[in-house]
Amino acid sequence: MFAALLCTLLFSISITCGHRSAKLIGGTEANFWRLTLAAVLLGVWAYAFGVGINSAAFPLFFLSGAVGIGIGDVAFFQTLPRLGSRLTSLLTGCLSAPLAALIEWIWLGTTLSLAQMLWGLLTVAGVGLALMPSEHVHRNKRDLFVGTVWSLLASVCGAAGGVLSRKAYEVVHTAGEHLDGGNAGFQRALGGLLLGGICLLVVKRRAFKLQAHAPHELVVAASIKKWRGVWPWVLANGFAGQTLGVSCMQWALESTPAGIVFAILAITPIVIIPFARVLEGERPSRRSLLGAAIAVAGVMALA
């Protein structure tokens, strides 16, 4: 529970910074560079204090990262510039928890008690009430439709990635191994980085061709100008979310059903409220505050 709650704080910082970086350089590129940063940092930890990739569950953790991070986070970053951080978190947070519980029940046979399901649903309902966008926030129909489709894909892949991690930990325990959250996060980050790199090559292939034929001085000058404003956001996003946040998430998944972990993570958008107020000008309403109180009560009941 503590690991999942800590993860919500780290993810709230990550999502807000990710929204800024996605607006500046595009969601696909922002996602790739934060994954690169996380892979380097977690790799140092994994080889200094862990086992690196020498684990019986490495293929499952790698697949978990490819699905949950590689596909899921690419979809999430495509949603952010279209729907904003609050609405993006609302859709993915409210869908991921029941999907994770359903997938884990079908595949691994993990069942939640009636009380756990009720309190989890109360948490998700509170998040839905709290994060409903204010009336003054307007978006065109195309952005709403495309953003919703991307958020659905992000929810399904995020939930599936979480359940794959649960299965991977079963393999770890059966093999008599020990894998901390940082080492598991590194193995997942490798799968996410592979898919993220492929997506970047596909999306930016035309830009890469133009840069290959452009004068070197112009390419360097354009890169310096681009990164001068975006690097702090990418750094904060990668360190808070993909490095520390995902490590805490893996820590939580080792001993807690995915449905409960994702229900707790669903309150991440509530923590985003003050960040969204400062950075995006979205003022929380009384309804938002009431929903936040309901969601927090649900998490307390789960605990």
Side-chain angles (χ1 to χ4, degrees), residues 214-264:
H216 178 70
E217 295 78 8
L218 291 180
V219 174
V220 173
S223 297
I224 293 175
K225 181 179 179 181
K226 178 180 75 173
W227 282 101
R228 184 180 294 122
V230 74
W231 74 264
W233 301 107
V234 173
L235 181 63
N237 181 23
F239 184 69
Q242 200 58 45
T243 303
L244 298 179
V246 169
S247 297
C248 290
M249 178 181 172
Q250 295 306 301
W251 178 18
L253 286 169
E254 183 176 8
S255 58
T256 308
I260 295 179
V261 172
F262 278 92
I264 297 172

Side-chain angles (χ1 to χ4, degrees), residues 59-105:
L60 281 171
F61 278 121
F62 186 89
L63 181 60
S64 171
V67 174
I69 301 175
I71 302 176
D73 282 9
V74 165
F76 187 87
F77 269 78
Q78 292 300 318
T79 310
L80 277 174
R82 293 176 172 87
L83 300 184
S85 59
R86 289 182 61 198
L87 186 54
T88 297
S89 301
L90 167 65
L91 291 173
T92 55
C94 290
L95 289 173
S96 294
L99 284 171
L102 177 63
I103 295 171
E104 188 171 0
W105 172 64

Side-chain angles (χ1 to χ4, degrees), residues 112-126 260 263 294 297-299 301-302:
L112 303 180
S113 67
L114 178 61
Q116 288 173 326
M117 288 189 286
L118 289 176
W119 294 129
L121 289 174
L122 179 66
T123 301
V124 172
I260 295 179
I294 293 173
V299 171
L302 276 174

